[in-house]
Amino acid sequence: MAFAEKLIAWQRRHGRHDLPWQGTRDPYRIWLSEVMLQQTQVAIVIPYYERFIARFADVRSLAAASEEEVLALWSGLGYYARGRNLHRAAQLIAERGFPRTAAEIAELPGVGRSTAAAVAVFAYGERAAILDGNAKRVFARHFGVAREERLWPLAERERPDRDIEIYTQALMDLGATLCTRLKPQCERCPLSRGCVARREGRTAKLPAPRERRALPQKEVKWLVLRRNGAVLLERRPSSGIWGGLWCFPEHAGRLPAGAKRLAPIEHGFTHFRLRIYPLLAAGKRAVTPSGRWMTFAQAQAAALPAPVRTLLSRLREEGR
């Protein structure tokens, strides 16, 4: 039995069939799920996807929303450029209609080759090849390929002529459930007999891990101002780190009079680590055009990066 046939047979019996974005040909719902699933696990995505669909039932309602509202729903999912790109892409789709080929879908903001292929497969049945993180692991291990540039030709070659949707989901599911990064369950894998990595004892080495470099450490001070049960937050510029999200004002210089140092917060980004030093003080600061006093309830409903949400939760608990 060929590679694709084994995957298709396994998927029919053991794959995932009850995810909230399955069982539809609606390109909007499929595209939304695929963007959310970029670098994010299914279990984390599901509640975000369901909230998005409840609020934005179609692409036009998403396009008509403000960026702030979109980011508020995205808050906590991370990689916020995805949320901003999603909103921009929705506006383009609302004007022009949803693109119908993988090549056209790949032209949308925030959509790469593999994501575009997945949308084209599930929405239109196009015989396109995916190569997300899960598929890379399956191909690299089964065929014993260490170099990433050789994986796309493999992905193109192994596409079946029929059942492309089942095959594509099988690649995703096998990589997510059995051919996992740390503890692959080779004894349950339908591809184990022909797997080069298993035969040669190289499952831990394939795909070839990227060189890990020590991440630079950056520091920032946040001025946490409270007044009558409210806190002052400022909306960051659309571009850059946490673009469009609400954060505490940054502070440079000496410790403000009467300010109290709070426990620092550590936060990791792809290219650096950030140590945040919150400074709690009374509300004696002019509000900038990008600033707003918010109650805790208003702040929790806003578009916040994870460290701001963490700090607000601490303050609320201490207030109790």
Side-chain angles (χ1 to χ4, degrees), residues 58-183:
D58 54 40
V59 73
R60 291 191 176 277
S61 59
L62 176 57
S66 67
E67 182 184 274
E68 184 176 354
E69 186 176 7
V70 173
L71 291 178
L73 276 181
W74 196 275
S75 182
L77 195 54
Y79 301 99
Y80 291 95
R82 292 183 300 168
R84 296 193 296 272
N85 284 330
L86 186 82
H87 188 227
R88 285 197 290 269
Q91 293 172 332
L92 293 174
I93 295 168
E95 292 177 6
R96 309 170 186 174
F98 208 100
R100 298 189 62 85
T101 68
E104 293 170 343
I105 296 167
E107 295 178 1
L108 293 172
V111 176
R113 180 179 177 183
S114 185
T115 298
V119 176
V121 166
F122 295 127
Y124 305 120
E126 181 178 337
R127 188 172 168 265
I130 69 158
L131 197 62
D132 67 352
N134 290 319
K136 282 181 184 178
R137 212 158 39 247
V138 173
F139 283 123
R141 287 173 173 170
H142 185 75
F143 295 101
V145 174
R147 295 168 59 185
E148 187 168 329
E149 61 267 25
R150 292 179 55 198
L151 294 178
W152 269 114
L154 274 175
E156 296 280 354
R157 186 190 78 187
E158 295 299 327
R159 293 170 299 167
D161 293 326
R162 301 173 57 185
D163 297 321
I164 187 67
E165 300 96 327
I166 301 173
Y167 166 80
T168 301
Q169 189 65 52
L171 280 172
M172 296 174 173
D173 287 1
L174 190 73
T177 62
L178 298 186
C179 193
T180 53
R181 185 171 63 89
L182 295 179
K183 294 182 179 180

Side-chain angles (χ1 to χ4, degrees), residues 14 31 42 97 141 150 181 217 225 243 247 254 280:
H14 303 290
W31 162 66
V42 165
R141 287 173 173 170
R150 292 179 55 198
R181 185 171 63 89
Q217 181 81 43
L225 298 176
C247 290
R254 297 179 178 179
L280 182 62

Side-chain angles (χ1 to χ4, degrees), residues 139-307:
F139 283 123
R141 287 173 173 170
H142 185 75
F143 295 101
V145 174
R147 295 168 59 185
E148 187 168 329
E149 61 267 25
R150 292 179 55 198
L151 294 178
W152 269 114
L154 274 175
E156 296 280 354
R157 186 190 78 187
E158 295 299 327
R159 293 170 299 167
D161 293 326
R162 301 173 57 185
D163 297 321
I164 187 67
E165 300 96 327
I166 301 173
Y167 166 80
T168 301
Q169 189 65 52
L171 280 172
M172 296 174 173
D173 287 1
L174 190 73
T177 62
L178 298 186
C179 193
T180 53
R181 185 171 63 89
L182 295 179
K183 294 182 179 180
Q185 300 179 50
C186 298
E187 67 283 354
R188 296 174 55 198
C189 178
L191 304 174
S192 60
R193 280 194 175 184
C195 181
V196 173
R198 187 188 190 197
R199 184 171 67 245
E200 298 179 355
R202 292 199 291 151
T203 54
K205 297 180 180 179
L206 293 173
R210 294 181 179 178
E211 182 183 352
R212 290 192 174 185
R213 299 178 180 177
L215 295 178
Q217 181 81 43
K218 297 184 180 182
E219 297 180 351
V220 66
K221 295 177 184 176
W222 279 355
L223 196 55
V224 182
L225 298 176
R226 301 179 69 173
R227 186 183 71 184
N228 300 326
V231 292
L232 179 64
L233 298 176
E234 292 182 348
R235 195 172 186 215
R236 296 180 66 88
S238 292
S239 60
I241 298 299
W242 294 325
L245 304 188
W246 291 91
C247 290
F248 290 101
E250 293 187 9
H251 176 75
R254 297 179 178 179
L255 188 70
K260 174 186 176 183
R261 297 179 187 269
L262 302 178
I265 298 172
E266 300 282 346
H267 188 75
F269 291 95
T270 307
H271 302 296
F272 67 94
R273 292 199 60 80
L274 182 66
R275 180 175 292 125
I276 302 160
Y277 294 98
L279 306 173
L280 182 62
K284 296 179 180 178
R285 179 186 172 106
V287 179
T288 66
S290 61
R292 186 187 302 173
W293 287 99
M294 297 187 192
T295 65
F296 280 96
Q298 290 170 332
Q300 291 289 1
L304 307 175

Side-chain angles (χ1 to χ4, degrees), residues 226 231 260 262 280 296 300 308-320:
R226 301 179 69 173
V231 292
K260 174 186 176 183
L262 302 178
L280 182 62
F296 280 96
Q300 291 289 1
V308 174
R309 198 171 293 279
T310 297
L311 185 50
L312 283 171
S313 296
R314 284 188 194 172
L315 294 172
R316 197 165 190 173
E317 287 299 319
E318 290 173 3
R320 290 176 181 174

